[in-house]
Amino acid sequence: MSEPTEKYKVVIVVIFLAASASLIYYSHAVLETGVLFTHLFYIPIIYATMWWKRKGLVVPIFLAVILNLSHIYIRKDIITYNDQIRSLMFIVIGFMVAELSDKVSKGEKELRKSHEKLKHNAVELATINEELVAFNYSVSHDLRSPLRSIDGFSQALLEDYTDKLDAQGKDYLTRVRVASQKMAQLIDDLLNLSRMTRTEMQREVIDLSALAQGIASEFQNREPERHVEFVIAEGMEVNGDKRLLMVVLENLLGNAWKFTGKHPEARIECGVTQVNGKPAYFVRDDGAGFDMTYADKLFGSFQRLHGTTEFPGTGIGLATVKRIVHRHGGLVWAKGEVEHGATFYFTL
Amino acid sequence: MQTGEKNGKIILLVEDNPDDVELTLRALKKNNILNKVVVANDGVEALDYLFGTGAYEGRNTSVIPQVLLLDLKLPKVNGLEVLQQIRNYGPTKLLPVVVLTSSMEEHDLIASYQLGANSYIRKPVDFSKFIEAVKQLGLYWLVLNEPPVIESAI
């Protein structure tokens, strides 16, 4: 309900005040009663104290005063305390309404303040997001460009000056090329990571088992010579973003596939267990595992627990997994032991 | 394969980075694509060449390149604006345009196609892959593809 304007408020209160005052006179002087119909009085009292708070107490005090004056001057023959008690009630009720109204408007003010702050934060966030987009753009464009030059001209040297370069010179140039291509991969991974955070989520019911099965067969088709047994629990259904959860499974199963690569036979398990009464999905392998001492480093960007010569990678996969799981409001953690495999858990 | 030196088919390469110009020319040469390559270092130069204005005042604008290789991030007038302007200009309205860029932003991809690009290629960092890409590009746009017959300018 919108508030009436100040002028309108004064008019309302004055009309009811006049009506109340007339009623006092009418009861005392014309009807000559000692009992007053004072219910109407509460209308100006409550309005005035609601609108003007303690200043509005002027109205109940005024009504109390004229009621008592009228009583004394017109009906001093009736000795009751009726009117005195009534007039006291005017002030008490007026005071209570004023206090209440004060509290409400203070709360309102605070609410408006925090709303403003929220709005301000939203604007700031939007700006930061815009900057992030611009940053990504420049990363994908500007950082790749010099890399192309490094790789291209290294190859040009290898081709055009091959007779002037000895084996070591060629080896150095080859290393330059490998490094620039690796950096290009890092840039791409980093961009993908930020894209995972930027894109809007579309939640739906997803058959996690089918997703995992699909990814597993893809790995097996790619390297059919490997002996890896996939054990994937049936009927795992979750509510989440299909594309993002696909990335989670691809990374976790991909890691399991990668880190069992040095074992002649391996077993990769994907299933669900209960942790603190909530379903926690897991991917378990019996591969290289990791030292639990470094468990907190697993999910950081560009953090790796194995040398790239041992197992290739950029160290961005688990950071991506963590971001996606967090966006779903879940948690991710890992358990492992060197040479005894690793288990990655996540909740959604 | 050797595509004609004298068949008069011109490639217009719009690229501001001299390294990329050098590498693209090298890739063309490696693939025996010996067509004349006109290099424009920014969007304005590209438009001047096509419209016969500015530095190219008086150029015979009825000679239209067989294909335009367009980088997106260019000084002055960027690639997307160049694309928009040549699509709004009669003689170049149908000119085959291949966007050749490092950007893989979805926004650039969609905008390019919306403005009428014929192809969008992301320059790979690996130069061997780039040479392969240029080879296919040359084979397709200079040999296989039949360009639209455009009536000479105004």
Side-chain angles (χ1 to χ4, degrees):
Chain A
M1 198 176 72
S2 63
E3 285 241 320
T5 60
E6 202 64 19
K7 204 169 127 191
Y8 199 58
K9 285 179 186 172
V10 173
V11 170
I12 291 173
V13 170
V14 166
I15 288 173
F16 280 107
L17 260 182
S20 306
S22 323
L23 206 64
I24 296 172
Y25 180 77
Y26 186 73
S27 301
H28 280 161
V30 183
L31 294 178
E32 301 189 351
T33 72
V35 184
L36 269 175
F37 180 78
T38 53
H39 298 63
L40 177 78
F41 293 22
Y42 288 106
I43 297 174
I45 291 171
I46 290 176
Y47 268 138
T49 46
M50 186 175 80
W51 287 333
W52 301 304
K53 309 198 175 82
R54 288 195 189 165
K55 278 186 206 152
L57 283 174
V58 162
V59 170
I61 291 168
F62 171 74
L63 280 173
V65 168
I66 59 163
L67 178 61
N68 281 293
L69 286 179
S70 154
H71 184 94
I72 292 162
Y73 284 106
I74 305 173
R75 302 288 310 179
K76 61 179 166 209
D77 50 323
I78 310 167
I79 309 293
T80 68
Y81 290 106
N82 240 330
D83 287 348
Q84 279 85 346
I85 291 165
R86 278 167 208 273
S87 45
L88 186 68
M89 276 318 284
F90 295 164
I91 296 166
V92 169
I93 287 184
F95 184 75
M96 283 160 80
V97 173
E99 285 296 292
L100 212 68
S101 170
D102 193 45
K103 255 187 203 156
V104 169
S105 59
K106 261 185 197 152
E108 231 169 60
K109 214 184 261 172
E110 236 153 74
L111 213 70
R112 205 167 300 146
K113 226 196 244 166
S114 59
H115 183 74
E116 283 298 310
K117 207 175 156 194
L118 265 175
K119 255 207 277 191
H120 179 78
N121 283 353
V123 170
E124 210 165 90
L125 253 174
T127 320
I128 291 172
N129 212 32
E130 251 167 59
E131 272 169 25
L132 197 72
V133 172
F135 175 74
N136 274 311
Y137 186 88
S138 107
V139 164
S140 79
H141 197 285
D142 299 353
L143 286 190
R144 289 178 65 89
S145 180
L147 280 178
R148 260 201 326 277
S149 299
I150 295 169
D151 190 68
F153 290 115
S154 302
Q155 193 178 340
L157 269 176
L158 280 170
E159 284 171 5
D160 297 2
Y161 297 86
T162 182
D163 50 331
K164 293 199 177 81
L165 284 166
D166 59 8
Q168 198 173 30
K170 282 175 196 159
D171 175 54
Y172 288 166
L173 277 175
T174 309
R175 281 168 196 263
V176 170
R177 291 199 61 200
V178 169
S180 58
Q181 281 161 32
K182 191 184 164 203
M183 185 162 166
Q185 187 59 50
L186 280 169
I187 292 171
D188 283 354
D189 285 353
L190 202 59
L191 275 177
N192 273 331
L193 173 68
S194 94
R195 221 168 259 144
M196 290 303 132
T197 345
R198 267 192 291 154
T199 48
E200 227 166 275
M201 289 225 303
Q202 283 167 338
R203 276 181 181 267
E204 56 184 320
V205 176
I206 297 160
D207 185 351
L208 210 61
S209 305
L211 269 188
Q213 198 64 61
I215 296 164
S217 15
E218 219 173 275
F219 285 130
Q220 278 171 327
N221 289 339
R222 223 180 289 162
E223 291 174 69
E225 69 283 1
R226 281 190 57 187
H227 299 285
V228 179
E229 184 197 357
F230 274 99
V231 182
I232 293 164
E234 295 284 323
M236 290 189 286
E237 274 195 349
V238 296
N239 186 283
D241 183 297
K242 190 173 179 181
R243 219 170 43 86
L244 293 179
L245 288 181
M246 181 96 176
V247 174
V248 167
L249 285 180
E250 269 171 358
N251 271 303
L252 294 182
L253 289 170
N255 276 351
W257 182 264
K258 179 163 68 181
F259 291 109
T260 51
K262 299 217 164 127
H263 293 186
E265 293 205 348
R267 179 189 154 97
I268 296 171
E269 202 183 334
C270 178
V272 58
T273 172
Q274 293 284 323
V275 173
N276 296 331
K278 273 177 144 186
Y281 304 91
F282 66 84
V283 173
R284 179 177 295 140
D285 67 65
D286 53 3
F290 63 90
D291 186 344
M292 279 300 275
T293 325
Y294 308 110
D296 56 323
K297 284 195 173 170
L298 274 173
F299 297 98
S301 309
F302 296 119
Q303 296 274 9
R304 304 202 75 238
L305 297 188
H306 300 271
T308 35
T309 45
E310 217 183 334
F311 293 102
T314 51
I316 213 79
L318 287 177
T320 310
V321 167
K322 185 177 158 190
R323 279 214 197 170
I324 293 174
V325 169
H326 281 186
R327 281 195 76 187
H328 281 83
L331 289 172
V332 58
W333 68 96
K335 280 183 189 159
E337 201 184 325
V338 175
E339 278 313 310
H340 285 94
T343 308
F344 286 86
Y345 298 89
F346 64 94
T347 58
L348 294 171
Chain B
M1 178 192 73
Q2 178 153 337
T3 48
E5 189 173 8
K6 290 189 184 92
N7 62 10
K9 288 178 179 174
I10 295 170
I11 299 169
L12 177 57
L13 173 65
V14 191
E15 172 64 70
D16 65 315
N17 182 345
D19 282 3
D20 276 349
V21 171
E22 183 66 33
L23 290 173
T24 309
L25 293 179
R26 184 180 168 84
L28 288 168
K29 206 171 81 189
K30 282 270 158 201
N31 287 304
N32 283 321
I33 299 168
L34 303 173
N35 299 57
K36 184 182 171 194
V37 180
V38 175
V39 179
N41 292 310
D42 58 53
V44 176
E45 223 180 295
L47 292 172
D48 279 348
Y49 178 82
L50 290 168
F51 301 168
T53 50
Y56 288 98
E57 185 84 61
R59 189 187 79 88
N60 177 10
T61 48
S62 65
V63 178
I64 285 172
Q66 175 90 353
V67 63
L68 185 132
L69 304 180
L70 182 66
D71 188 17
L72 288 185
K73 210 173 181 189
L74 297 167
K76 295 184 207 166
V77 178
N78 73 37
L80 291 176
E81 285 165 328
V82 170
L83 190 53
Q84 195 168 21
Q85 290 203 38
I86 61 178
R87 285 295 179 248
N88 286 334
Y89 176 67
T92 54
K93 204 177 182 121
L94 301 173
L95 170 66
V97 173
V98 176
V99 173
L100 198 60
T101 177
S102 355
S103 165
M104 61 165 186
E105 287 292 306
E106 211 177 281
H107 163 82
D108 282 337
L109 192 79
I110 292 167
S112 299
Y113 280 119
Q114 268 171 351
L115 290 172
N118 301 81
S119 181
Y120 189 103
I121 292 166
R122 190 176 181 228
K123 288 185 249 185
V125 165
D126 185 339
F127 190 62
S128 322
K129 285 186 193 149
F130 184 61
I131 289 185
E132 186 54 35
V134 169
K135 179 180 166 186
Q136 296 194 16
L137 207 145
L139 180 69
Y140 185 79
W141 290 105
L142 299 170
V143 181
L144 289 176
N145 186 54
E146 288 294 338
V149 183
I150 305 164
E151 296 113 60
S152 49
I154 318 164

